[in-house]
């Protein structure tokens, strides 16, 4: 935006607001990662969360998981926790071997370094879109079965009758 992190922090402080977390994409390079972490430290954040990744290629998800592990280790050294925010497509994209992006994330993200910010709307929608008999139980299972800790939740309204939701953007 038009503000530096220090300027925006000053504006938030003047209003009594603390930004404990931010959504930040995977960094393009080491300089971008350092800037992201510097900004997060300026805000006194606890968390940095990757908000969105999407590809029909399993190798993309594997590369992203490896990069998130690397970035998370660097973030941990700076006093920050690093997470991933889901959408429905992590459950619905099927790779030729029958696995999904969610399978890649839960098997390849280091649970000591990377946590999940579970978006309850999209976890439920993932259950709807995969044909789960009980989309609510599907979402609960997403939370309970991941080896990564769920440290954050993204909560928004969803009417249970909205069963044909296919849009996966916010």
């Amino acid at each position: 935006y038009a503000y530096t992190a220090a300027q925006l922090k000053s504006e938030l402080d003047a209003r009594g607001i603390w930004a404990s977390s931010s959504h930040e994409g995977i960094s393009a390079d080491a300089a971008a990662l350092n800037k992201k972490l510097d900004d997060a430290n300026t805000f006194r954040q606890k968390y940095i969360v990757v908000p969105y990744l999407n590809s029909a290629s399993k190798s993309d998800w594997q590369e992203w998981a490896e990069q998130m592990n690397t970035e998370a280790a660097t973030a941990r050294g700076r006093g920050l926790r690093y997470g991933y925010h889901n959408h429905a497509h992590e459950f619905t994209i099927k790779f030729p071997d029958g696995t999904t992006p969610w399978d890649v994330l839960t098997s390849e993200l280091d649970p000591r370094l990377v946590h999940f910010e579970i978006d309850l709307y999209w976890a439920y929608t993932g259950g709807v879109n995969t044909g789960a008999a009980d989309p609510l139980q599907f979402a609960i299972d997403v939370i309970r079965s991941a080896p990564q800790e769920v440290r954050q939740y993204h909560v928004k309204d969803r009417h249970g009758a909205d069963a044909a939701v296919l849009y996966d953007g916010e």
Side-chain angles (χ1 to χ4, degrees):
Y1 303 108
Y3 296 98
T4 65
Q7 290 169 327
L8 186 54
K9 172 75 168 76
S10 178
E11 291 293 324
L12 294 175
D13 287 348
R15 290 161 177 78
I17 299 171
W18 171 47
S20 64
S21 181
S22 66
H23 279 182
E24 301 279 348
I26 289 179
S27 303
D29 54 35
L33 175 60
N34 283 323
K35 170 137 180 33
K36 177 170 62 177
L37 299 178
D38 288 344
D39 288 350
N41 286 145
T42 296
F43 284 109
R44 293 181 300 120
Q45 288 177 205
K46 289 185 175 186
Y47 307 107
I48 290 181
V49 179
V50 174
Y52 187 84
L53 296 169
N54 194 356
S55 174
S57 167
K58 185 173 184 175
S59 64
D60 286 346
W61 289 95
Q62 291 168 320
E63 288 173 23
W64 291 329
E66 183 179 345
Q67 186 173 353
M68 284 190 280
N69 286 334
T70 299
E71 289 193 10
T74 304
R76 180 67 59 91
R78 302 276 298 271
L80 296 159
R81 298 298 305 256
Y82 190 99
Y84 181 77
H85 172 107
N86 69 284
H87 290 79
H89 64 270
E90 287 92 346
F91 308 107
T92 59
I93 293 172
K94 294 285 187 190
F95 302 126
D97 65 2
T99 61
T100 65
W102 190 252
D103 295 326
V104 172
L105 294 173
T106 56
S107 67
E108 298 194 21
L109 289 175
D110 186 336
R112 296 167 299 169
L113 296 172
V114 182
H115 71 276
F116 285 128
E117 176 186 82
I118 296 296
D119 186 310
L120 299 173
Y121 177 98
W122 288 121
Y124 183 94
T125 301
V128 170
N129 291 350
T130 59
D134 182 350
L136 179 58
Q137 188 60 52
F138 179 91
I140 291 168
D141 292 344
V142 163
I143 294 163
R144 291 185 175 161
S145 67
Q148 292 75 14
E149 185 177 13
V150 177
R151 297 186 63 86
Q152 299 172 279
Y153 292 96
H154 186 153
V155 181
K156 57 186 169 251
D157 289 343
R158 184 186 199 290
H159 189 277
D162 297 337
V165 174
L166 298 177
Y167 175 68
D168 199 9
E170 290 186 80

